[in-house]
C-alpha cells in the first residue's frame, strides 16, 4: 500500500505564528515563571508567592479585580449581544451601526481612561451639565475615593471601551449561522425570542465561548483605565504588579503577581471551555 505524501504546507503556514507566540509570549512567560519561583542566586523558592499573599494590598487588589470582572463581563456580553442581534435584523441604517459600535476599538485603554476622567472629574463635563441644568448647586465629587463612585466610573469606562470587542466576535458568529435555520423556525411559528433562545444562541455558543474568554482575560488584566481614573485610590492586581516592578524595584514580586494573574486567566478560560463546550453535532 502506497503511503500518502505528508502535506507540510499547513505546518509551514503556521510557523510564523508559532515563532511569534514563542518569542513574544512563551519566552517572557518562562522568564516571569523563573523570577516568581527563583531567588537571585537561581535557587527555587516559594517565598515570593508567600510574600505576595501576605502583602497588605493583595486582598484589596484581588477583591477589586473580582468586582470588576463580575460587573463588566455580564454587562458587556448582554449589551454586545443586543447590539449584534439588532444589527442582524437588517434594520434601516444597521450598516452604519457597525461603524458606530466599533469606534471604541480605535481608542487605547489610557485614552479611554482620560476621556472618562474628564467626564467625572470635579470640573468635568458631567458636573458642568448637571450644574447647567440646575440639578447641582456645587460640583459633586464623583471620584471621591471614600465612596464607590470611582469603581462605577471604571466599570462605565471599561464597558464603553471594550463592548465593541465582544460585539465584533458575536457579529462574526451570527453571520456564520445559515439563514435557513432561522427562517425554518419562523415558518414553524417560532417568535423572535424563541428563535433567539432555541436556534441562535445554541449555534452561537462557539462565538460566545471565545468572546467570554477574551473579555474575562482582559478584565483580569485591566490597568490603564484604573490608573487614569483612580490612581492609587483603587488598586487591582495588574496595578500592584506594576508598582512592585516600577516603584519598589522588585521584579520577583512583580512576576509573582503576573503568575497569579495568569493562573486566574487560565482557570476562567478552562471553566468557559468546560461549561460552554460545543457538541460535535452542533458544529456547522
Amino acid at each position: 500500500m502506497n503511503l500518502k505524501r505528508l502535506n507540510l504546507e499547513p505546518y509551514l503556514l503556521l510557523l510564523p505564528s508559532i515563532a511569534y507566540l514563542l518569542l513574544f509570549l512563551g519566552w517572557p512567560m518562562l522568564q516571569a515563571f523563573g523570577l516568581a519561583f527563583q531567588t537571585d542566586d537561581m535557587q527555587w523558592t516559594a517565598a515570593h508567592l508567600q510574600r505576595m499573599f501576605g502583602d497588605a494590598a493583595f486582598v484589596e487588589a484581588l477583591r477589586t479585580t473580582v468586582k470588576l470582572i463580575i460587573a463588566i463581563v455580564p454587562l458587556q456580553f448582554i449589551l454586545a449581544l443586543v447590539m449584534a442581534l439588532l444589527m442582524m435584523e437588517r434594520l434601516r441604517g444597521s450598516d452604519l451601526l457597525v461603524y458606530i459600535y466599533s469606534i471604541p476599538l480605535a481608542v487605547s485603554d489610557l485614552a479611554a481612561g482620560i476621556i472618562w476622567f474628564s467626564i467625572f472629574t470635579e470640573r468635568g463635563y458631567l458636573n458642568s451639565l448637571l450644574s447647567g441644568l440646575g440639578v447641582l448647586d456645587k460640583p459633586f465629587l464623583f471620584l471621591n475615593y471614600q465612596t464607590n463612585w470611582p469603581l462605577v466610573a471604571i466599570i462605565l469606562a471599561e464597558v464603553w471601551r471594550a463592548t465593541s470587542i465582544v460585539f465584533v466576535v458575536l457579529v462574526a458568529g451570527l453571520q456564520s449561522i445559515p439563514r435557513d435555520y432561522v427562517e425554518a423556525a419562523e415558518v414553524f411559528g417560532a417568535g423572535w425570542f424563541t428563535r433567539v433562545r432555541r436556534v441562535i444562541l445554541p449555534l452561537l455558543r462557539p462565538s460566545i465561548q471565545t468572546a467570554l474568554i477574551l473579555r474575562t482575560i482582559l478584565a483580569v488584566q485591566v490597568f490603564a483605565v484604573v490608573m487614569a481614573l483612580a490612581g492609587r485610590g483603587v488598586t487591582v492586581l495588574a496595578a500592584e504588579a506594576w508598582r512592585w516592578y516600577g516603584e519598589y524595584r522588585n521584579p520577583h514580586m512583580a512576576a509573582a503577581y503576573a503568575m497569579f494573574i495568569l493562573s486566574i486567566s487560565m482557570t476562567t478560560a478552562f471553566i468557559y471551555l468546560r461549561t460552554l463546550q460545543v457538541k460535535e453535532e452542533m458544529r456547522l
Side-chain angles (χ1 to χ4, degrees), residues 2 8 21 34 90 146 156 212 248:
N2 294 328
L8 296 178
L21 291 174
R90 304 185 185 279
Q146 297 179 348
L156 290 175
L212 289 177
Y248 309 143

Side-chain angles (χ1 to χ4, degrees), residues 117 143-148 150 229-234:
F117 180 81
L143 299 180
N144 182 0
Y145 303 137
Q146 297 179 348
T147 66
N148 289 324
L229 276 169
R232 290 183 173 273
V234 176

Side-chain angles (χ1 to χ4, degrees), residues 40-134:
D40 290 332
D41 55 357
M42 306 299 290
Q43 297 295 321
W44 292 99
T45 179
H48 306 306
L49 286 179
Q50 294 173 355
R51 186 179 177 184
M52 179 192 69
F53 290 130
D55 184 18
F58 172 77
V59 174
E60 182 61 28
L62 178 60
R63 184 186 296 115
T64 305
T65 302
V66 172
K67 286 180 180 178
L68 290 176
I69 294 172
I70 294 174
I72 290 171
V73 176
L75 274 175
Q76 287 187 326
F77 175 73
I78 293 172
L79 284 174
L81 182 61
V82 171
M83 289 157 53
L85 290 174
L86 287 176
M87 199 212 71
M88 295 305 294
E89 288 297 314
R90 304 185 185 279
L91 301 175
R92 180 177 298 178
S94 59
D95 293 338
L96 180 61
L97 291 177
V98 178
Y99 298 101
I100 295 175
Y101 292 157
S102 302
I103 287 175
L105 282 174
V107 181
S108 67
D109 300 11
L110 182 59
I114 294 173
I115 290 171
W116 283 85
F117 180 81
S118 67
I119 294 174
F120 284 106
T121 191
E122 184 178 359
R123 300 294 178 182
Y125 295 112
L126 184 56
N127 271 316
S128 299
L129 176 63
L130 295 176
S131 299
L133 295 175

Side-chain angles (χ1 to χ4, degrees), residues 98-258:
V98 178
Y99 298 101
I100 295 175
Y101 292 157
S102 302
I103 287 175
L105 282 174
V107 181
S108 67
D109 300 11
L110 182 59
I114 294 173
I115 290 171
W116 283 85
F117 180 81
S118 67
I119 294 174
F120 284 106
T121 191
E122 184 178 359
R123 300 294 178 182
Y125 295 112
L126 184 56
N127 271 316
S128 299
L129 176 63
L130 295 176
S131 299
L133 295 175
V135 178
L136 296 177
D137 295 330
K138 59 180 181 179
F140 183 79
L141 299 178
F142 288 102
L143 299 180
N144 182 0
Y145 303 137
Q146 297 179 348
T147 66
N148 289 324
W149 276 106
L151 193 62
V152 173
I154 293 169
I155 292 171
L156 290 175
E158 274 293 298
V159 169
W160 174 81
R161 183 189 67 82
T163 299
S164 53
I165 299 175
V166 184
F167 167 74
V168 170
V169 175
L170 294 181
V171 167
L174 286 172
Q175 290 178 340
S176 67
I177 298 176
R179 296 289 300 176
D180 297 346
Y181 291 9
V182 180
E183 291 173 357
E186 187 175 0
V187 169
F188 282 101
W192 187 82
F193 286 103
T194 303
R195 295 197 301 271
V196 170
R197 185 165 59 94
R198 296 290 188 180
V199 179
I200 295 177
L201 289 181
L203 295 174
L204 194 61
R205 187 176 293 182
S207 296
I208 293 174
Q209 187 183 79
T210 302
L212 289 177
I213 290 174
L214 177 63
R215 192 58 199 103
T216 303
I217 290 175
L218 293 177
V220 173
Q221 301 172 1
V222 63
F223 171 68
V225 172
V226 176
M227 295 298 293
L229 276 169
R232 290 183 173 273
V234 176
T235 185
V236 289
L237 292 173
E240 289 305 311
W242 174 79
R243 289 192 181 100
W244 276 103
Y245 187 83
E247 295 183 12
Y248 309 143
R249 304 296 181 183
N250 190 329
H252 296 286
M253 285 293 294
Y257 270 98

